Amino acid sequence: MPPDRLTALRRQRALVAEHLAWLDAEIDAQTPFRSLPAKSVAENENNVSPAVSPPTTVLDSPVLIEPAPDALAAANARADEIIANYTATERLDPVAARKGCLQLALALGLLGIAGVIAGYLIYY
C-alpha cells in the first residue's frame, strides 16, 4: 500500500473518530433523562478508581411526561382555531387568484420577450 494512501486512510479514520465523539457529545446533550450511576457516596470515599467502576447507563428512550389534560385541551383548541382561521382566509379568494394569475402571465411574457431578444442577439 503506498504511504500516501495509508496517510489518507489514517486521516479519514481520525476524522471519523472526531465526528463520532462530536455525535456522542450531542446525544448526551440532547438526552433529557439519564439514570444515576451505580456507585454510592461510600464508594467515592474509599477512593475507588473510576476505571474500575461500572459505566453509567443512559436510557435509549426516555420516559415521556404526559402534559396536563387542561393544558393539552387548551393547546388543541388554539391549534383548531389557527387552522380554521387559515382555512377561512385562504379558500377561494378571487382577488388573490386574479393577482397570482396576472403575476404568472407577466413573468411568462417577460421570459418570452427575453428569449426572443436573446435569440435575435445570438443568431443575427
Side-chain angles (χ1 to χ4, degrees):
M1 181 177 300
D4 55 343
R5 177 152 168 78
L6 182 61
T7 305
L9 289 173
R10 285 183 177 158
R11 188 184 57 132
Q12 288 295 321
R13 184 177 60 188
L15 288 173
V16 168
E18 181 181 329
H19 184 68
L20 287 174
W22 176 79
L23 283 174
D24 288 340
E26 288 295 314
I27 289 171
D28 287 342
Q30 295 298 320
T31 304
F33 301 105
R34 295 190 181 120
S35 64
L36 296 174
K39 295 187 332 180
S40 66
V41 176
E43 289 177 354
N44 286 337
E45 291 174 358
N46 292 334
N47 294 328
V48 175
S49 68
V52 178
S53 65
T56 59
T57 57
V58 177
L59 296 176
D60 288 335
S61 57
V63 178
L64 296 177
I65 300 173
E66 291 292 325
D70 297 335
L72 187 60
N76 286 337
R78 179 68 179 137
D80 291 339
E81 178 184 328
I82 291 171
I83 291 171
N85 184 21
Y86 279 119
T87 302
T89 58
E90 292 295 322
R91 183 174 293 170
L92 302 177
D93 186 10
V95 175
R98 186 177 301 121
K99 183 178 176 182
C101 286
L102 288 175
Q103 287 174 346
L104 181 63
L106 180 65
L108 289 175
L110 289 174
L111 186 63
I113 291 171
V116 168
I117 291 173
Y120 178 78
L121 291 175
I122 291 172
Y123 294 113
Y124 292 110

